[in-house]
Amino acid sequence: MNSCRKTVARSVMSLAISIAAVPLVMGSMVASAKGPDPQGTIYVADYGRNSIDVFGPGAHGNVAPKRVLQGPSTMISGPADVAVDPAGHVYVSDFNSNAITEYAPGASGNAAPIRTIQGPKTELSNNDDMSLAPDGTLYVGNFGSPGVVIFAPGAKGDVAPIRTIVGGNTGIGESNVDGLGVDATGTLYADATGSAAIYVFAPGANGNATPIRNIMGPSTGLASPDDVKVGFGGNIFVSNGGNSFEEFAAHAHGDAKPIRLISGGLTGLSDTDDLTVDAKGNAYITNFNNGSVVEFGPKQNGNVAPKAVLAGANTTFSEPEGVAVATPRALSLTSSTSSTIPLGSATHDTAKLLGGKSPTGSIIFKLFGPGDAACSHKPAFTSPIKAVHGNGTYTSPSFTPKKAGTYSWIVEYSGDSNNAQISSLCRDASETVKVIGYGVTGHGHQAKTTVTLTWTVYGTLKALSFNILAITQQHKVIQMNTKPIHTHSSKTYTFVSKNVNVDIDYFKVKVKRSSGFQTFGPFVVKG
């Protein structure tokens, strides 16, 4: 929200609450299309006109919206932000009525919302910007308290948020939260109006939570940041109240310098407000007081003219604030990795893109850990970006963890003009790998009466001796050696026994350690 009107907005709160109490008008029209709008459709929340203006893909110049969502039945009151999901549902943050309203795909005119979040239990209080996670979780910033409220997918009515973020430890204070962005792991990025910082919270953060990091300091160039979004690969995009647009590297923290800064007289940035970033990396930014939306390409930098400008009398803009761009349809992403590996061994991830419309774009793999249950810290490994050429299987490079513990792979697909961005989830069962600090691996083979058993000691295991226990198909245990085998750790050993007249099914290795005995296995014997 534009900082110059916060005081005015608060003064109309009591009036807004009385407006919100008006019931839906009987017979109100809900106009909607058969499905979602085309990818690239531009949605603008016009605070001054209480409207959502919808423009076709690529719209620029002094053009009229192709449709407008406006009227008493819409319940739109001071729209501070707008979002759209891949199915085409439109979400509006109504600042003046302390509500979130949702509309059917293609809704137009005086259309009633299909879902509303409003009431004292919601803790919405002059709600401003919002972010919609791929799973439907809705993150909302309040100018009142609490600063951030988070709603479960499908929440409606006078429902309590599943989490709130508020308190002295948060850094964002009790209120005045404006921009919000959520990355593929559920990590939340928030700014507070009047501060010059971005605060980063771990997935699942709740209550008086301390940020896991922040972006703050003179090198950042941040000046009253108004909105923040997170793009493919984790890069952070910020619209500044100081009439600039910045991009920070993924996992930037502290007094980090932006990797891109658009600022200056040629940019058309003036009284900058909210932003969104599309699947191709184009950034759309609203200029609140001069009634325009400017678009910059993913490689533009410095004092440069916008790639496109949407402005003029035909746009009907009064005070454009929120902006969103229609995403393409969602495809299916599945991924898997080895569940357990010994320390010193490599791990890799495999992803499958299914059901996409000739997908292109990029895919990236990240390994978080050890012990990073929320996947919120810097990854232990980040793959190079790989090009996507259609549906199919994509494999990460191998990486050898340096420490034992539990790790989690996350794979992110960038999306393209026909397919939505998508990612796997942190600590997905099929994406978790446990790295064991010490142990024994083994395998065996039986050829008639000769049995060959091989085992490897790895990691920090200090073995004084071994005993080999073979188990027959009849579950009989046979000790294969009469004398213990003395060894050193981190070596491979082979034991051969002849004249074995029973079929061996598997074997175990009994290790004598200074602290006692420990048994590893079973290891399969083939033959």
Side-chain angles (χ1 to χ4, degrees):
M1 170 171 286
N2 182 272
S3 59
C4 71
R5 74 164 196 276
K6 292 174 196 166
T7 303
V8 175
R10 290 184 186 281
S11 69
V12 301
M13 187 190 307
S14 60
L15 174 61
I17 292 173
S18 66
I19 292 172
V22 176
L24 293 180
V25 177
M26 295 299 294
S28 59
M29 179 180 66
V30 179
S32 61
K34 292 182 180 180
D37 288 314
Q39 189 268 341
T41 298
I42 303 167
Y43 306 78
V44 180
D46 193 329
Y47 182 90
R49 295 181 61 246
N50 289 328
S51 67
I52 303 298
D53 305 321
V54 184
F55 298 85
H60 63 280
N62 186 15
V63 298
K66 69 177 187 178
R67 70 176 189 272
V68 177
L69 186 60
Q70 185 183 44
S73 294
T74 67
M75 299 179 66
I76 295 174
S77 180
D81 202 7
V82 59
V84 59
D85 66 20
H89 297 98
V90 177
Y91 301 76
V92 179
S93 177
D94 298 293
F95 182 92
N96 290 342
S97 57
N98 302 323
I100 303 293
T101 46
E102 178 189 346
Y103 303 87
S108 182
N110 191 22
I114 60 174
R115 185 161 62 106
T116 300
I117 302 174
Q118 187 179 37
K121 292 180 182 178
T122 68
E123 298 189 70
L124 291 169
S125 178
N126 286 149
N127 42 286
D128 200 335
D129 292 348
M130 58 184 174
S131 275
L132 185 65
D135 66 353
T137 301
L138 184 63
Y139 298 74
V140 184
N142 275 332
F143 264 66
S145 181
V148 178
V149 289
I150 302 161
F151 296 97
K156 63 180 180 180
D158 187 11
V159 60
I162 54 175
R163 288 184 282 129
T164 62
I165 298 177
V166 62
N169 293 339
T170 67
I172 58 177
E174 296 293 324
S175 61
N176 288 357
V177 173
D178 203 340
L180 292 173
V182 182
D183 72 10
T185 69
T187 300
L188 175 65
Y189 299 72
D191 68 63
T193 298
S195 72
I198 304 296
Y199 301 93
V200 187
F201 297 91
N206 192 18
N208 191 15
T210 300
I212 55 175
R213 64 180 185 276
N214 59 46
I215 303 173
M216 178 188 297
S219 298
T220 67
L222 292 172
S224 297
D226 195 282
D227 201 5
V228 56
K229 292 292 182 282
V230 187
F232 172 69
N235 282 14
I236 305 155
F237 302 89
V238 181
S239 57
N240 256 324
N243 300 328
S244 65
F245 165 74
E246 298 181 75
E247 179 181 353
F248 294 88
H251 297 280
H253 66 280
D255 191 16
K257 187 176 180 180
I259 59 176
R260 191 159 61 115
L261 171 63
I262 295 178
S263 178
L266 298 178
T267 65
L269 293 171
S270 175
D271 200 20
T272 54
D273 212 305
D274 292 350
L275 83 149
T276 192
V277 180
D278 68 15
K280 296 180 180 180
N282 298 304
Y284 301 74
I285 304 168
T286 57
N287 290 315
F288 185 80
N289 282 331
N290 76 359
S292 66
V293 177
V294 293
E295 177 189 352
F296 295 97
K299 295 183 179 180
Q300 287 188 277
N301 196 10
N303 185 13
V304 294
K307 176 181 177 180
V309 178
L310 192 58
N314 290 334
T315 67
T316 70
F317 289 156
S318 171
E319 295 173 318
E321 182 165 0
V323 60
V325 175
T327 58
R329 69 174 185 171
L331 46 62
S332 174
L333 170 68
T334 61
S335 52
S336 61
T337 189
S338 301
S339 60
T340 304
I341 62 170
L343 187 65
S345 296
T347 177
H348 70 273
D349 196 23
T350 301
K352 291 183 179 180
L353 294 178
L354 304 170
K357 184 179 180 181
S358 302
T360 57
S362 304
I363 199 167
I364 190 169
F365 298 85
K366 299 177 183 178
L367 181 66
F368 292 87
D372 186 3
C375 301
S376 59
H377 298 291
K378 184 177 180 180
F381 170 74
T382 300
S383 76
I385 293 177
K386 303 185 70 170
V388 169
H389 302 288
N391 295 305
T393 300
Y394 296 86
T395 302
S396 76
S398 294
F399 173 74
T400 303
K402 297 180 180 180
K403 295 181 180 180
T406 301
Y407 292 76
S408 182
W409 283 101
I410 283 183
V411 55
E412 298 178 47
Y413 168 60
S414 67
D416 60 16
S417 59
N418 296 310
N419 304 279
Q421 181 177 337
I422 193 172
S423 67
S424 60
L425 300 177
C426 182
R427 288 299 175 97
D428 186 301
S430 64
E431 288 282 75
T432 301
V433 56
K434 186 174 183 180
V435 180
I436 302 175
Y438 67 86
V440 176
T441 60
H443 62 275
H445 182 264
Q446 182 170 9
K448 296 184 179 180
T449 60
T450 300
V451 176
T452 303
L453 308 178
T454 301
W455 66 97
T456 300
V457 178
Y458 63 86
T460 58
L461 178 65
K462 302 297 182 182
L464 301 177
S465 64
F466 298 114
N467 283 91
I468 310 303
L469 307 176
I471 293 86
T472 69
Q473 292 182 351
Q474 292 74 34
H475 306 292
K476 182 179 180 181
V477 179
I478 301 174
Q479 185 165 305
M480 299 298 293
N481 56 306
T482 57
K483 294 183 179 180
I485 301 174
H486 294 277
T487 184
H488 299 286
S489 62
S490 301
K491 288 188 177 181
T492 298
Y493 296 89
T494 298
F495 174 75
V496 178
S497 182
K498 299 181 179 180
N499 301 319
V500 178
N501 297 315
V502 293
D503 292 328
I504 303 300
D505 197 20
Y506 58 89
F507 73 101
K508 296 182 179 181
V509 179
K510 187 176 182 180
V511 181
K512 183 179 180 181
R513 307 174 62 194
S514 58
S515 57
F517 288 93
Q518 188 171 0
T519 301
F520 298 86
F523 308 115
V524 174
V525 177
K526 298 181 179 180

